[in-house]
Amino acid sequence: MLASSKRLFSSPAPGVTLPDTPVVLNADDYASEPLSQGRTGFPKRGGQSLSYWLQQVRCDPLLDHRTTEQLPRQADTVVIGSGLSGTLIAKQHLETWPEKSVLVLEAREFCSGATGRNAGHCKPDQWRHFAKFEKAYGQEQAIKVMNNEATTWKALVSYVQENNVDCDLWVGDTYDVPLDDEVAKIGKECFERYKELGGRVDHIRVTQDPSEAAKISRIKNAKACYAWKASTLQPWKLTAHVMRDNISKGVNLQTKTLATKISPDSTGEYKWIVHTERGQIACNTVVHATNAYSAALESSLKGVITPKPHMCNKFVPPQAVCGSKALRNSYGVLLRDGGLFSINPRCTADGVVMFGGSNPGQKELDQWVEDNPEHCIDDSLASVEDVTKHVREFVESNFEGWNEAEVGPGEGFDYSWSGIIGLSADGVPFVGELPGKPGQWICAGHHGHGMARIFTAAPGLVKIMNGESWDATGLPEVYKMTPERLQCLRRASGEAPIVAVV
């Protein structure tokens, strides 16, 4: 069923920094484990794979937009990164300080990083990782994380609906489905504990009977089913809608402009100089919104935010499982050891099914990156059979009729692409001012779960920049960037909190 496939390879990737000494990772899910913490690099500048989302917009002039022909030499604020974080930060900045100038720098095409490469799923975690967050941060913060993800999802959906954004938004039931008795047992215990401790679960429909779970989810080997509301969407189109509005209100977007260094302004007129391949920009405020690439610009983040390639598979359903038999829900399929299939069937759009998340093949890819760490920022990987074969085996074993369906040209697993996720050393993002760098701020380290965090984290950062209290952001306190948190993670050991989420 695979039109083309590629085994893992080892060609050099430039611009990568490798660690001098290993740093112990505090994550126990293999799905999230960066094997060489401390590695980092700038975005790959050529040959990167095209996600399905980027394939759809090749004629869009926003891809290589430069608001002004020349790079401005000064700006009040420079936002580095044009994904959902940087774009929403620019939006909130305009609303907070309409008189201030905002320059957004993008190393490659507009929104060509993680936002433009994910599986198109905005699924708030409403119970599943509660136990891990409770172990790391305590009951109160763990509940706040769950509540914030629900708030983030509602904010995203409200924006799309109120602004009539053309981004293939779907709102409906998402299913968490354990495929293994032990995983189902652990899941049930976690859910019950979350409920007993005051976690909100009234919106979650739970089915513990395997036969009924299989009927609801259409997954033959389901052991249980947890259902609540989530969304899928075309993430590039959502981000582009926001950025077009930003530009109309005065934001200057400069694509294909790599920021290479940030240094103090020796003249004293401004605080910082942002160095790029096209020249320098003097400014008083810098916002790091580069997620996986953050440590390439800010060395204090090495080992704290770590890049790692993840694959997303595109599946074109054959005729036998289309139309009235097409999937109508999104999924998180729970595997052993923290593995996960994220499934987005695009049921209000073209019906193409996206498979993201992590599976045993992703672990093989992780090991390959460990052996070839120069590929930590390599998003040129495409049609990697080592990963696709595990998705195919899952589909053929679990979805009724998919194994027997005749697959014609243009159907089946025809393509997969890579994106670089920014793993946070403690499993949660960093929002706040960089310690020791007054005027430099960060919203990054979304740990492969940014769609369920950014729509509150990005505006929350601007509130902090405006002098508002942390409480005003509504974010969990564990998201806050502090000197103590950074120092703790930089000297990370096996005693660090155990958290991992994808």
Side-chain angles (χ1 to χ4, degrees):
M1 289 194 294
L2 197 65
S4 63
S5 64
K6 175 172 66 176
R7 305 290 295 185
L8 298 179
F9 56 93
S10 57
S11 59
V16 176
T17 302
L18 303 180
D20 296 324
T21 57
V23 181
V24 179
L25 172 69
N26 57 333
D28 64 343
D29 282 357
Y30 80 76
S32 299
E33 185 176 351
L35 300 174
S36 289
Q37 264 199 332
R39 66 193 183 203
T40 189
F42 291 102
K44 184 177 176 65
R45 302 303 300 284
Q48 57 267 34
S49 60
L50 274 183
S51 70
Y52 185 52
W53 319 123
L54 288 166
Q55 287 177 338
Q56 294 175 346
V57 295
R58 302 319 296 162
C59 285
D60 197 310
L62 196 60
L63 284 171
D64 60 352
H65 177 89
R66 288 179 176 173
T67 305
T68 55
E69 184 177 350
Q70 299 299 318
L71 187 70
R73 296 309 176 205
Q74 299 87 25
D76 291 313
T77 298
V78 175
V79 178
I80 305 173
S82 71
L84 191 59
S85 290
T87 298
L88 285 176
I89 288 165
K91 174 183 182 296
Q92 189 75 15
H93 193 290
L94 281 170
E95 294 172 0
T96 305
W97 304 288
E99 75 284 0
K100 290 188 177 182
S101 58
V102 182
L103 174 64
V104 177
L105 299 179
E106 170 55 54
R108 307 185 295 191
E109 292 182 331
F110 170 74
C111 193
S112 57
T115 300
R117 295 176 174 275
N118 63 42
H121 212 174
C122 181
K123 175 170 178 166
D125 183 356
Q126 293 298 267
W127 67 278
R128 182 164 24 99
H129 285 94
F130 170 75
K132 295 180 182 296
F133 287 119
E134 183 193 18
K135 182 176 181 180
Y137 303 120
Q139 171 188 336
E140 179 184 355
Q141 287 300 304
I143 290 176
K144 281 189 173 184
V145 170
M146 301 293 104
N147 290 343
N148 174 252
E149 297 209 5
T151 301
T152 301
W153 170 71
K154 291 176 182 176
L156 184 152
V157 171
S158 294
Y159 179 85
V160 172
Q161 293 176 340
E162 291 170 7
N163 292 278
N164 297 312
V165 182
D166 178 15
C167 65
D168 303 339
L169 179 70
W170 168 84
V171 177
D173 285 341
T174 188
Y175 298 145
D176 265 5
V177 180
L179 290 191
D180 175 274
D181 287 329
E182 181 64 20
V183 175
K185 176 177 178 291
I186 294 171
K188 182 178 180 180
E189 292 172 353
C190 178
F191 182 85
E192 293 299 330
R193 177 166 178 78
Y194 180 51
K195 181 179 179 179
E196 290 170 5
L197 293 176
R200 179 174 172 263
V201 297
D202 56 302
H203 62 301
I204 305 176
R205 301 190 311 279
V206 182
T207 304
Q208 298 292 354
D209 176 68
S211 60
E212 185 65 19
K215 181 179 178 181
I216 294 170
S217 68
R218 298 175 58 181
I219 295 178
K220 288 191 290 186
N221 295 311
K223 302 301 180 184
C225 183
Y226 300 77
W228 67 96
K229 297 298 182 184
S231 290
T232 62
L233 67 154
Q234 215 283 23
W236 191 95
K237 288 185 177 180
L238 168 61
T239 311
H241 177 95
V242 180
M243 182 56 79
R244 282 189 236 276
D245 186 58
N246 289 344
I247 293 170
S248 73
K249 295 175 180 176
V251 165
N252 189 320
L253 170 63
Q254 295 286 324
T255 63
K256 299 186 178 181
T257 305
L258 176 68
T260 58
K261 185 174 69 171
I262 301 170
S263 63
D265 181 6
S266 59
T267 70
E269 185 177 356
Y270 291 88
K271 289 183 180 179
W272 301 105
I273 300 293
V274 178
H275 301 257
T276 82
E277 56 197 352
R278 296 174 57 213
Q280 301 177 0
I281 309 110
C283 62
N284 286 321
T285 303
V286 178
V287 180
H288 296 257
T290 59
N291 201 32
Y293 308 103
S294 298
L297 269 179
E298 177 48 55
S299 61
S300 68
L301 299 174
K302 288 182 181 179
V304 176
I305 298 178
T306 306
K308 188 177 73 166
H310 263 233
M311 301 300 300
C312 183
N313 273 270
K314 169 176 168 270
F315 178 81
V316 181
Q319 294 181 34
V321 291
C322 289
S324 61
K325 296 181 181 179
L327 295 180
R328 302 290 175 188
N329 304 89
S330 75
Y331 297 81
V333 179
L334 314 183
L335 312 174
R336 282 183 173 270
D337 302 318
L340 170 76
F341 288 112
S342 171
I343 306 176
N344 165 14
R346 287 178 54 77
C347 52
T348 56
D350 52 21
V352 169
V353 184
M354 304 296 177
F355 290 88
S358 300
N359 63 41
Q362 181 64 46
K363 187 171 178 64
E364 295 172 19
L365 175 59
D366 294 346
Q367 183 57 55
W368 179 77
V369 174
E370 169 69 3
D371 297 336
N372 301 274
E374 69 273 14
H375 287 279
C376 67
I377 46 84
D378 188 354
D379 50 14
S380 71
L381 306 176
S383 299
V384 177
E385 175 63 14
D386 292 335
V387 177
T388 302
K389 67 182 180 181
H390 293 281
V391 185
R392 184 188 298 109
E393 290 169 0
F394 160 75
V395 165
E396 294 176 349
S397 300
N398 285 280
F399 285 120
E400 196 72 47
W402 288 37
N403 190 28
E404 298 81 13
E406 180 181 353
V407 178
E411 299 174 338
F413 287 95
D414 70 338
Y415 183 59
S416 69
W417 67 89
S418 50
I420 310 301
I421 64 174
L423 296 178
S424 159
D426 55 3
V428 291
F430 298 88
V431 180
E433 192 169 33
L434 284 176
K437 303 287 179 71
Q440 290 196 44
W441 305 81
I442 187 168
C443 181
H446 297 294
H447 214 78
H449 199 52
M451 295 302 293
R453 291 172 169 171
I454 293 170
F455 241 84
T456 54
L461 174 67
V462 179
K463 289 181 180 180
I464 296 298
M465 293 167 62
N466 193 34
E468 298 181 52
S469 69
W470 184 264
D471 287 344
T473 70
L475 299 171
E477 283 76 8
V478 293
Y479 289 11
K480 188 175 184 180
M481 170 61 91
T482 65
E484 294 77 18
R485 180 183 176 195
L486 183 59
Q487 184 180 17
C488 176
L489 292 174
R490 283 179 59 81
R491 64 167 188 260
S493 69
E495 298 177 357
I498 300 176
V499 170
V501 180
V502 166

